[in-house]
């Protein structure tokens, strides 16, 4: 655990606030900015990656309009986006069935491996979307698992009238 640091990601939109353990030598990349309100699509909250730009941890959030089972939503999303599922585990939770998936996809002609996990709280589904080039994946898989086990929401997710 000495090689990790607890990163706090505050947000002006409380459901987008969380913390997570990340490798100390990885960098926080801001590609799309930090969203301040839901927009009906999965929104990138953070991207955190290694210095070689071969491995990345992303956290996305989706505000749902109706009750949705996170595992079912993820499997449909993976199909629609041409991921090949290599391993799949359902994680029962008080909020519904979450998914923990290892997948593969060709990106710009090269094989990329993904570790994707869902979390749900109230009207939000959170997606931990981790990926690395296939050759580098074995060296970073532990980082992805630590991120998944330590993801914790820190803001209120209840809708306000």
């Amino acid at each position: 655990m000495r090689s990790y640091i607890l990163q706090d990601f505050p947000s002006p939109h409380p459901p987008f606030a969380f913390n997570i353990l990340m490798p100390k030598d990885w960098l926080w990349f801001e590609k799309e900015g930090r969203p301040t309100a839901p927009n009906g699509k999965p929104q990138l909250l953070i991207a955190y990656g290694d210095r070689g730009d071969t491995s990345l941890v992303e956290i996305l959030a989706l505000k749902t309009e109706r009750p949705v089972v996170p595992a079912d939503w993820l499997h449909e999303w993976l199909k629609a986006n041409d991921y090949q599922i290599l391993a799949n585990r359902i994680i029962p939770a008080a909020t519904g069935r979450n998914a923990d998936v290892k997948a593969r996809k060709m990106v710009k002609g090269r094989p990329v491996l993904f570790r994707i996990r869902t979390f749900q709280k109230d009207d939000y589904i959170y997606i931990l979307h981790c990926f690395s080039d296939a050759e580098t994946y074995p060296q970073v898989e532990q980082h992805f698992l630590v991120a998944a086990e330590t993801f914790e929401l820190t803001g209120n997710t209840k809708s306000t009238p």
Side-chain angles (χ1 to χ4, degrees):
M1 296 310 284
R2 284 182 285 195
S3 59
Y4 293 92
I5 186 167
L6 184 63
Q7 293 290 331
D8 186 40
F9 295 94
S11 174
H13 183 61
F16 292 166
F18 63 94
N19 61 40
I20 193 169
L21 277 178
M22 295 302 305
K24 284 183 179 178
D25 59 344
W26 283 27
L27 304 171
W28 181 1
F29 300 105
E30 296 214 37
K31 295 186 177 187
E32 295 178 17
R34 298 179 69 190
T36 58
N39 68 4
K41 299 182 250 181
Q43 294 172 268
L44 181 65
L45 303 182
I46 62 111
Y48 218 84
D50 68 353
R51 293 178 185 275
D53 201 24
T54 58
S55 305
L56 203 64
V57 172
E58 298 175 326
I59 303 291
L60 299 103
L62 170 67
K63 185 171 192 309
T64 59
E65 296 298 318
R66 56 181 168 44
V68 176
V69 175
D72 296 345
W73 177 88
L74 180 63
H75 286 100
E76 291 303 314
W77 185 83
L78 292 171
K79 277 191 242 175
N81 288 286
D82 300 319
Y83 288 80
Q84 175 191 6
I85 296 175
L86 303 175
N88 179 35
R89 180 171 67 115
I90 299 297
I91 303 169
T95 57
R97 293 181 355 224
N98 286 302
D100 180 13
V101 173
K102 185 174 181 180
R104 181 180 186 270
K105 184 176 179 176
M106 294 301 287
V107 178
K108 296 180 182 175
R110 67 183 208 274
V112 176
L113 294 178
F114 296 81
R115 188 63 177 248
I116 306 162
R117 189 175 288 185
T118 60
F119 306 89
Q120 185 175 29
K121 178 94 190 253
D122 299 323
D123 297 336
Y124 290 86
I125 294 175
Y126 299 89
I127 305 106
L128 177 75
H129 186 256
C130 308
F131 56 96
S132 184
D133 290 337
E135 63 189 39
T136 336
Y137 185 88
Q139 289 85 34
V140 296
E141 184 176 33
Q142 184 65 32
H143 297 322
F144 297 163
L145 296 173
V146 167
E149 291 301 317
T150 62
F151 174 76
E152 180 181 34
L153 295 169
T154 58
N156 182 8
T157 57
K158 291 276 188 202
S159 298
T160 53

